[in-house]
Amino acid sequence: MTSGERMVASFLRVNQAGELGAVRIYQGQHAVLGKGRHGTLLAHMAGQEQRHLDTFSRLIAERGVRPTALSPLWHVAGFVLGAGTALMGERAAMACTVAVEEAIDAHYAGQAARLGEDEAELKATIEEFRTEELEHRDIGLANGAEQAPAYPVLSAAIKSGCRLAIWLSERV
Ligand SMILES: [Fe+2]
Ligand SMILES: [Fe+2]
């Protein structure tokens, strides 16, 4: 494997893991708040994350990349994070969305910058998904994320968790 192939393999592995986490976060939020006024928005975001996940799952299979061994962890941790913040209230759920999507935005921007013309299609896919992640962040901001109790602490904690999850999923 060339170093470029190794890099792309690690991108696909971490992205599949991250999108699994994202699907589970919105499923967790929807389980708690689905019948409330944000139910439709949460289902909309969960649907987009599912499409992101399906795309990376397909690419992982096509390229014969080993998926992360930590899928069971992200399956549970994503749901717990989503449901947990939702139990703290609608604004805390939106604060979680903003923190997670900001972390993913930075992550995808970094990947896109490192992909060259030989991976133009993957780069375009990542940029397309990044646009949707920013849409999710904006939904969070428009729905009171910054008014959540202890917003700076909550946001910093979730972002650190995301960065740790990214670091682990690139390696394990
Ligand atoms: Fe996503
Ligand atoms: Fe997202």
Side-chain angles (χ1 to χ4, degrees), residues 10-170:
S10 91
F11 284 5
L12 294 178
R13 182 177 304 122
V14 65
N15 292 358
Q16 186 198 31
E19 296 295 355
L20 169 63
V23 167
R24 295 294 287 164
I25 287 170
Y26 291 116
Q27 285 178 348
Q29 292 187 345
H30 194 267
V32 176
L33 298 172
K35 293 203 169 69
R37 63 195 176 113
H38 293 323
T40 311
L41 269 181
L42 296 173
H44 166 72
M45 294 193 285
Q48 286 181 319
E49 304 300 4
Q50 186 66 55
R51 189 174 73 90
H52 300 172
L53 173 59
D54 292 344
T55 301
F56 287 121
S57 296
R58 176 175 55 77
L59 290 173
I60 278 219
E62 278 174 11
R63 298 192 188 215
V65 172
R66 175 183 66 77
T68 173
L70 299 175
S71 290
L73 175 61
W74 307 139
H75 193 82
V76 173
F79 193 89
V80 167
L81 177 60
T85 50
L87 287 168
M88 292 166 66
E90 287 177 347
R91 286 180 294 197
M94 291 295 165
C96 169
T97 294
V98 173
V100 168
E101 302 291 1
E102 280 182 353
I104 298 179
D105 167 44
H107 169 71
Y108 279 164
Q111 283 190 349
R114 290 176 66 194
L115 289 171
E117 274 315 299
D118 56 327
E119 287 289 354
E121 201 181 325
L122 177 59
K123 188 172 177 160
T125 299
I126 288 171
E127 286 291 8
E128 183 197 331
F129 291 177
R130 184 160 87 92
T131 305
E132 294 185 354
E133 314 301 9
L134 288 171
E135 192 191 298
H136 300 166
R137 176 203 62 187
D138 291 343
I139 287 172
L141 290 171
N143 286 284
E146 292 160 310
Q147 282 83 53
Y151 177 70
V153 179
L154 185 63
S155 174
I158 293 171
K159 277 190 193 166
S160 304
C162 288
R163 282 193 293 264
L164 175 62
I166 287 170
W167 188 87
L168 280 169
S169 297
E170 281 169 347

